[in-house]
């Protein structure tokens, strides 16, 4: 099986791959990044604003056009597409944050999921896996390195950097490094032992969605 | 009326693909005589009859067509008609007595069955179909048995720890650089070299294998102990069934680049045969046996061996395999323009075509009319191309048409240039046509391997040309019973593949998280209604994988 990933960045993709590997037993080679950069040549890139290529707008663009998702899913054994988006900038893409309370995380994730489904106009319901991180995927990694509820951080990326810095662990945001940093998310025993899913609601909800939808023959 | 019939005979000879010299009046009259067609007969009355001597032909045309050929014109009939007709399989000579001397005045001539069957259709609606049938079956060697290598399982060869590939007839492999595409092609060459008893430095090199010390040809991955054998299992299929070909090759000295290799499977077979035969028993008794008893013993041995292999759950691998030659002939073609031009020393001793493009001129020079007809497909690819010339005697060299460095006797004429200045040698022609011509020749020739590989087929070719060429080659592979494995880095190649045809297959080659080379088939899901993107676009947009992920 192959799973396509539309993610805001390489590091986000690495974390998502580890989570799915832990559930399904797939290999990193089973993931295919679907990236807007592939649509453009060097001249286009020079014309465009470089910021265009690393935020939520690319995710929205792919969802609205839907072409790549459709043709990716048109190939045998390519059955799912992960759509990743952080909630950190949700107000910019039209999602109003719920009032902080017990169900804040669930409600915020649900609102962003609705927004993604709205962009997709209700298509591919069963094939889309919503990797919605409250606030950033770094919060999912924090669950590994801090035995506290990682949802509470409003800037998880900065927090993770500090936590890793204290432990003298490399925090560079490359694909390979984030694959290493989040490796324990690919180990079901470690997840259970560390109770990572209890430490981050949006991680748990993504985990559960993958468990429910992806069945490896 | 007589002239009309002669003109019709000339038309037939033209349509059958005979050269213009064999479309003259003498040839036409000979055809009429051999078919026993008189001026008022329709062609469906043509019959197979034995004509003894050219004098009988002359008598027939003089009598039936009012001609006045003297007996001293017999040589013209032989030279213009009889000999070329035999060469083109229109007639058989001495069917009644194959031992008869070629100098005998009693030589007999008769139409071949296929020529007769074709001629009878002239002036009917079936003519075109009959012609196609004739050209396809005119030369028996054009019809090869159909087979396919259906499954290829490779273990422990370079970056391939274990992988199984279900092949079609026309197979294209894509993947990022260093993913192991060429290793797949090489594994087949290794087994081919072994089957040809040629598994040594020279045998591997001439088949296109990048040679390394044996311990570097065996997979060597972190945290895994290196195994001693390369396992290659091949499953062939033809109309008669399937045949499994198992091999387990090991080097005598893993540290010696010139080491000999052996096959464990084959050794086991010999061992088992040895047990069954009981050498001393046979030696002691075989001379005493009469023919019937010998026959009985041989049958018993064969049956026992068959039982052993049935128990082992394998197909009868002991039987001398018809696929041995197929594997021995296998090579990986990786063209080099200098070799195609005939100005590089021949690196490959494979015949008729070397792996870098050597020998193209000689192969084309030996093409029969059927193959020649196919070669005309090149004109479709190159608008300027007027003709492809094989200058067997290298006369053009003396005319100064090539500087002299090139050993190739291949020439092209350009339809836009003045006749006196329109001939170009392989050395002077553009590289694209040499590459295309090589591939077309490789696919259409009777003499080239039935199973082969092409590494980096796109070299020197315009993207649009790539697309058209691939489309053409995939058709030719079916028509000419060739099976091919192709690697490419050019997306345009993919646009020539019709993936809805199950025999045309596209594979992604990749390395998994442990670095092992793996392969997966890229296939559309059923019910594909609309495909907005071309395959090349899908590849470039990253929807098929087979591209680097890190940038």
């Amino acid at each position: 099986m192959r799973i396509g990933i539309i993610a805001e960045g390489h590091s986000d993709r690495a974390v998502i791959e580890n989570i799915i590997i832990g559930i399904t037993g797939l290999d990193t080679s089973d993931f295919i990044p679907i990236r807007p950069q592939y649509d453009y040549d060097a001249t286009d890139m020079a014309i465009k604003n470089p910021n265009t290529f690393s935020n939520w707008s690319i995710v929205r663009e792919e969802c609205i056009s839907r072409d790549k998702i459709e043709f990716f899913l048109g190939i045998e054994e390519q059955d799912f597409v992960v759509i990743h988006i952080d909630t950190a900038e949700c107000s910019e893409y039209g999602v109003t944050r719920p009032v902080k309370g017990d169900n804040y995380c669930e409600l915020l994730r649900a609102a962003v999921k609705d927004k993604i489904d709205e962009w997709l106009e209700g298509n591919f319901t069963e094939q889309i896996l919503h990797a919605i991180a409250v606030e950033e995927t770094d919060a999912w990694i924090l669950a590994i390195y801090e035995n506290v509820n990682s949802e509470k951080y409003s800037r998880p990326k900065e927090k993770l950097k500090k936590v890793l810095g204290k432990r003298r662990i490399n925090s560079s945001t490359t694909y390979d490094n984030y694959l290493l940093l989040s490796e324990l998310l690919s180990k079901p025993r470690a997840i259970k032992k560390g109770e990572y899913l209890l430490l981050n609601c949006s991680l748990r909800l993504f985990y559960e969605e993958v468990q429910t939808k992806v069945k490896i023959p | 009326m007589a002239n009309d019939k002669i003109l019709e005979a000339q038309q037939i000879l033209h349509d059958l693909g005979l050269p213009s010299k064999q479309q003259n009046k003498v040839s036409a009259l000979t055809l009429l005589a051999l078919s026993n067609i008189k001026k008022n007969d329709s062609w469906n009355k043509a019959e197979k009859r034995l004509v003894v001597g050219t004098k009988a032909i002359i008598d027939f045309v003089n009598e039936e067509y009012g001609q006045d050929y003297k007996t001293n014109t017999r040589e013209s009939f032989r030279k213009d008609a009889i000999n070329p007709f035999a060469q083109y399989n229109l007639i058989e000579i001495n069917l009644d007595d194959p031992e008869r001397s070629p100098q005998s005045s009693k030589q007999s001539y008769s139409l071949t069955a296929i020529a007769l069957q074709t001629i009878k259709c002239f002036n009917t609606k079936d003519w075109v179909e009959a012609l196609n049938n004739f050209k396809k079956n005119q030369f028996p060697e054009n019809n090869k048995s159909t087979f396919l290598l259906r499954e290829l399982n490779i273990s422990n060869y370079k970056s391939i720890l274990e992988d199984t590939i279900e092949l079609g007839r026309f197979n294209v492999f894509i993947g990022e650089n260093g993913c192991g595409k060429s290793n797949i092609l090489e594994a087949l060459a290794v087994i081919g070299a072994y089957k040809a008893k040629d598994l040594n430095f020279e045998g591997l090199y001439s088949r296109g294998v990048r040679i390394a010390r044996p311990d570097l040809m065996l997979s060597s991955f972190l945290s895994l102990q290196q195994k001693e054998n390369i396992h290659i299992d091949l499953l062939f299929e033809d109309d008669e069934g399937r045949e499994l070909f198992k091999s387990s090759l090991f080097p005598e000295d893993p540290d010696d680049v010139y080491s000999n290799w052996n096959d464990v499977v084959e050794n086991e077979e010999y061992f088992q045969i040895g047990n069954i035969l009981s050498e001393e028993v046979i030696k002691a008794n075989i001379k005493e046996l009469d023919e019937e008893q010998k026959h009985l013993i041989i049958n018993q041995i064969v049956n026992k061996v068959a039982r052993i292999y049935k128990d082992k759950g394998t197909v009868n691998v002991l039987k001398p395999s018809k696929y041995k030659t197929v594997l021995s002939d296998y090579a990986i073609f990786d063209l080099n323009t200098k070799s195609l031009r005939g100005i590089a020393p021949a690196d490959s001793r494979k015949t008729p075509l070397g792996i870098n493009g050597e020998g193209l001129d000689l192969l084309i020079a030996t093409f029969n009319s059927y193959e020649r007809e196919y070669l005309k497909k090149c004109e479709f690819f190159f608008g300027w191309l007027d003709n492809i010339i094989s200058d067997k005697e290298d006369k053009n060299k003396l005319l100064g048409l090539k500087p002299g460095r090139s050993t190739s006797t291949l020439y092209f004429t350009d339809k836009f240039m003045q006749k006196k200045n329109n001939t170009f040698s392989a050395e002077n022609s553009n590289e694209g046509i040499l590459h295309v011509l090589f591939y077309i020749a490789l696919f259409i020739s009777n003499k080239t391997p039935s199973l082969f590989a092409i590494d980096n087929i796109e070299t020197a070719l315009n993207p649009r040309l790539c697309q058209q060429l691939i489309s053409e080659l995939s058709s030719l592979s079916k028509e000419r019973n060739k099976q091919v494995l192709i690697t490419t880095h050019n997306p345009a190649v993919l646009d020539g593949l019709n993936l809805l045809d199950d025999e045309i297959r596209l594979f992604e080659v990749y390395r998994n998280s442990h670095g092992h080379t793996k392969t997966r088939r890229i296939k559309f899901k059923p019910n594909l209604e609309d495909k907005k993107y071309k395959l090349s676009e899908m590849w470039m947009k990253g929807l098929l994988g087979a591209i680097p992920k890190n940038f």
Side-chain angles (χ1 to χ4, degrees), chain B residues 33-51:
Chain B
L34 291 167
S35 321
N36 200 24
I37 292 291
K38 295 169 187 163
K39 57 188 174 191
N40 292 319
D41 290 342
S42 64
W43 285 95
N44 65 7
K45 290 203 170 161
E47 58 185 37
K48 187 180 175 83
R49 65 175 190 138
L50 210 63
V51 177

Side-chain angles (χ1 to χ4, degrees), chain B residues 385-435:
Chain B
L385 181 63
D386 180 42
N387 199 9
I388 299 164
I389 301 165
S390 289
D391 181 22
K392 291 181 194 173
E393 288 149 23
D394 219 4
K395 286 179 183 167
N396 285 338
K397 183 179 178 181
L398 303 174
L399 296 174
L401 289 178
K402 67 177 177 186
R405 282 193 303 158
S406 170
T407 55
S408 174
T409 54
L410 203 58
Y411 291 83
F412 306 97
T413 54
D414 185 325
K415 66 170 71 158
F416 298 115
M417 304 252 178
Q418 293 176 12
K419 294 274 183 204
K420 60 179 181 181
N421 278 331
N422 73 343
T423 306
F424 298 92
S425 67
E427 191 174 354
N428 287 318
S429 63
N430 78 75
E431 60 185 341
I433 192 168
L434 293 170
H435 285 248

Side-chain angles (χ1 to χ4, degrees), chain A residues 2 10 13 27-29 31-35 38-39 67-68 71-79, chain B residues 508 510-513 520 523-525 530-533 538 540-543 545 547-549 551:
Chain A
R2 291 294 168 102
H10 287 302
R13 176 164 58 89
D27 186 85
T28 49
S29 58
F31 297 93
I32 298 182
I34 301 175
R35 305 174 61 215
Y38 298 148
D39 286 351
D67 281 350
K68 285 197 201 133
F71 291 110
F72 177 86
L73 294 171
I75 302 287
E76 277 199 354
E77 295 185 20
Q78 294 186 176
D79 296 330
Chain B
E508 179 199 4
Y510 60 94
R511 296 180 78 168
N512 68 14
S513 55
R520 71 158 185 143
K523 187 180 175 188
F524 287 108
K525 286 177 180 165
D530 180 29
K531 191 169 75 62
K532 185 179 169 184
Y533 295 142
M538 292 179 78
M540 288 302 288
K541 285 176 187 293
L543 303 179
I547 53 173
K549 292 181 182 177
F551 47 87

Side-chain angles (χ1 to χ4, degrees), chain B residues 358-546:
Chain B
E358 303 92 335
L360 177 62
D361 54 338
L362 293 179
L363 180 69
I364 289 177
T366 61
F367 271 5
N368 62 36
S369 60
Y370 178 78
E371 292 165 326
R372 274 263 159 203
E373 189 78 17
Y374 266 104
L375 201 62
K376 286 183 181 168
K377 286 178 184 292
C378 282
E379 292 169 18
F380 168 74
F381 292 107
F382 299 95
W384 55 266
L385 181 63
D386 180 42
N387 199 9
I388 299 164
I389 301 165
S390 289
D391 181 22
K392 291 181 194 173
E393 288 149 23
D394 219 4
K395 286 179 183 167
N396 285 338
K397 183 179 178 181
L398 303 174
L399 296 174
L401 289 178
K402 67 177 177 186
R405 282 193 303 158
S406 170
T407 55
S408 174
T409 54
L410 203 58
Y411 291 83
F412 306 97
T413 54
D414 185 325
K415 66 170 71 158
F416 298 115
M417 304 252 178
Q418 293 176 12
K419 294 274 183 204
K420 60 179 181 181
N421 278 331
N422 73 343
T423 306
F424 298 92
S425 67
E427 191 174 354
N428 287 318
S429 63
N430 78 75
E431 60 185 341
I433 192 168
L434 293 170
H435 285 248
V436 169
L437 190 59
F438 182 92
Y439 293 132
I440 300 271
L442 178 62
F443 276 75
I444 64 183
S445 170
N446 296 315
K447 301 181 183 75
T448 51
S450 305
L451 171 67
F452 56 87
I454 300 170
D455 214 2
N456 299 317
I457 195 167
E458 71 277 8
T459 306
L461 302 178
N462 174 285
R464 177 63 78 180
L465 180 58
C466 274
Q467 179 183 349
Q468 285 303 321
L469 178 68
I470 290 294
S471 180
E472 187 61 50
L473 295 181
S474 62
S475 301
L476 281 177
S477 68
K478 282 184 190 172
E479 290 173 43
R480 308 295 293 129
N481 292 326
K482 303 282 187 186
Q483 186 175 16
V484 61
L485 289 74
I486 293 171
T487 69
T488 186
H489 286 291
N490 189 332
V493 166
L494 272 56
D495 293 337
L497 301 174
N498 170 14
L499 291 192
L500 298 182
D501 181 339
D502 195 40
E503 293 302 357
I504 298 175
R505 298 188 182 185
L506 174 64
F507 298 91
E508 179 199 4
V509 184
Y510 60 94
R511 296 180 78 168
N512 68 14
S513 55
H514 304 290
H516 308 164
T517 291
K518 290 282 182 185
T519 313
R520 71 158 185 143
R521 185 177 171 191
I522 295 171
K523 187 180 175 188
F524 287 108
K525 286 177 180 165
N527 307 322
L528 180 75
E529 287 175 1
D530 180 29
K531 191 169 75 62
K532 185 179 169 184
Y533 295 142
K534 293 192 286 187
L535 268 171
S536 58
E537 290 174 306
M538 292 179 78
W539 186 12
M540 288 302 288
K541 285 176 187 293
L543 303 179
L544 305 177

Side-chain angles (χ1 to χ4, degrees), chain A residues 29-87:
Chain A
S29 58
D30 293 322
F31 297 93
I32 298 182
I34 301 175
R35 305 174 61 215
Q37 285 93 326
Y38 298 148
D39 286 351
Y40 305 108
D41 60 23
T43 312
D44 293 323
M45 300 286 257
I47 295 167
K48 283 184 175 287
N49 179 347
N51 295 330
T52 314
F53 292 107
S54 60
N55 58 35
W56 57 266
S57 64
I58 61 166
V59 176
R60 187 182 66 171
E61 197 179 301
E62 295 298 350
C63 291
I64 290 173
S65 86
R66 295 201 297 279
D67 281 350
K68 285 197 201 133
I69 299 171
E70 185 179 345
F71 291 110
F72 177 86
L73 294 171
I75 302 287
E76 277 199 354
E77 295 185 20
Q78 294 186 176
D79 296 330
F80 296 96
V81 173
V82 175
I83 293 179
H84 159 254
I85 197 162
D86 289 336
T87 64

